[in-house]
Amino acid sequence: MSISMYQASVPVFIRYLGNLRAILEKAAAHAEAKKIEPAALTAGRLYPDMLPLNRQIQLASDMAKSVPSRLAGTEPPKFEDSETSFTQLLERIRSEEHTSELQSHHD
């Protein structure tokens, strides 16, 4: 039985996007419950040399859209990387989940 790079990668991206979505949803609920300014979390870093959370989400999203697109021989969609709120980050992830699921059904 052979498996393509596409079959080996797209399900992994779909799973990790779902995990990122769940983490962001919990973080947004926590910020709301504790009355924490959401920007303090989305712009936060766990360590000074790390990128802020919103940038890490953008990079993870870029990987999830770029690899399947390249494997399919198409140009990946481009995003502005301007998301700063939980709502914007969640919308980006949902968009990527939808795109990755469509690509996996197309294969």
Side-chain angles (χ1 to χ4, degrees):
M1 177 175 112
S2 67
I3 184 168
S4 70
M5 286 296 293
Y6 198 85
Q7 292 167 322
S9 62
V10 172
V12 173
F13 291 126
I14 291 171
R15 184 172 48 248
Y16 94 53
L17 287 171
N19 292 340
L20 283 175
R21 181 178 31 80
I23 290 167
L24 286 178
E25 288 169 347
K26 288 180 181 184
H30 176 74
E32 185 176 334
K34 300 291 183 178
K35 301 199 183 338
I36 299 170
E37 179 62 36
L41 298 179
T42 60
R45 303 167 191 250
L46 293 177
Y47 199 76
D49 67 350
M50 290 179 67
L51 294 170
L53 176 64
N54 61 339
R55 185 65 185 135
Q56 291 185 49
I57 297 296
Q58 292 162 352
L59 290 170
S61 168
D62 287 345
M63 289 297 293
K65 72 177 163 99
S66 296
V67 170
S69 294
R70 302 260 188 239
L71 289 171
T74 62
E75 190 66 28
K78 299 206 184 321
F79 291 113
E80 294 296 319
D81 291 340
S82 60
E83 299 86 4
T84 57
S85 71
F86 284 120
T87 302
Q88 292 168 333
L89 291 168
L90 285 165
E91 181 57 36
R92 181 174 177 144
I93 289 174
R94 286 185 188 106
S95 173
E96 288 306 322
E97 285 178 311
H98 180 70
T99 300
S100 293
E101 287 170 1
L102 288 177
Q103 287 177 337
S104 69
H105 293 302
H106 177 66
D107 184 35

